[in-house]
Amino acid sequence: LEQSDTPTVSTPVLTGSTSISGTSTETPGSVVNVVVDNKHAATTVVNSSGSWTAKVTVPVPPGSTVTATVTNTAHKEVPSLPSPPVVVVSQTPAPKISPVYSGATEISGTSTTPSGTIIAVIADGTTQLGEATVTVGSTWTVT
């Protein structure tokens, strides 16, 4: 019997997620088993575009390890090897931006992230205006 090809788990997987997704080169309908910290967490199937999404019943905790296997039952293959592990990460809280007025030459704000964190200021979702480093006082400024 052939072994199914190893799937991938999409990154990042964020703390508290209740769905985990990924891709597989196996045929649509192949069965994907998702494992969180070495315990079965969910089962789903590969869709026609080669992707899959599994709903987990318990939100994933930070630092957990997520893997997946796939089995192509149509071709009677044995389960794949586990995907490379993905470690669940916490989402960084968004920085706060002070009001910006027309003609301003700087943009500033505060952040709850540790001092030394780099903040990128992006306009319209695409244009990076600059970067700033969070200070010990939790402030940052782009000039």
Side-chain angles (χ1 to χ4, degrees):
L1 291 176
E2 280 191 49
Q3 186 168 42
S4 297
D5 294 332
T6 303
T8 59
V9 174
S10 299
T11 59
V13 176
L14 299 175
T15 298
S17 293
T18 56
S19 66
I20 296 171
S21 59
T23 59
S24 173
T25 58
E26 293 296 341
T27 58
S30 295
V31 177
V32 178
N33 285 297
V34 176
V35 175
V36 176
D37 289 337
N38 298 316
K39 294 179 185 164
H40 181 266
T43 301
T44 191
V45 294
V46 177
N47 68 25
S48 60
S49 65
S51 62
W52 53 267
T53 299
K55 301 289 183 199
V56 294
T57 56
V58 176
V60 292
S64 296
T65 302
V66 178
T67 59
T69 59
V70 66
T71 305
N72 186 330
T73 54
H75 293 119
K76 297 183 169 93
E77 294 178 355
V78 296
S80 70
L81 294 173
S83 64
V86 172
V87 176
V88 177
V89 295
S90 296
Q91 187 168 2
T92 303
K96 293 188 177 167
I97 301 172
S98 300
V100 179
Y101 301 100
S102 179
T105 58
E106 68 180 33
I107 300 171
S108 62
T110 60
S111 175
T112 58
T113 60
S115 63
T117 299
I118 304 293
I119 300 217
V121 176
I122 300 171
D124 300 324
T126 57
T127 306
Q128 183 166 325
L129 301 178
E131 291 184 344
T133 303
V134 176
T135 66
V136 173
S138 301
T139 62
W140 55 270
T141 302
V142 171
T143 54

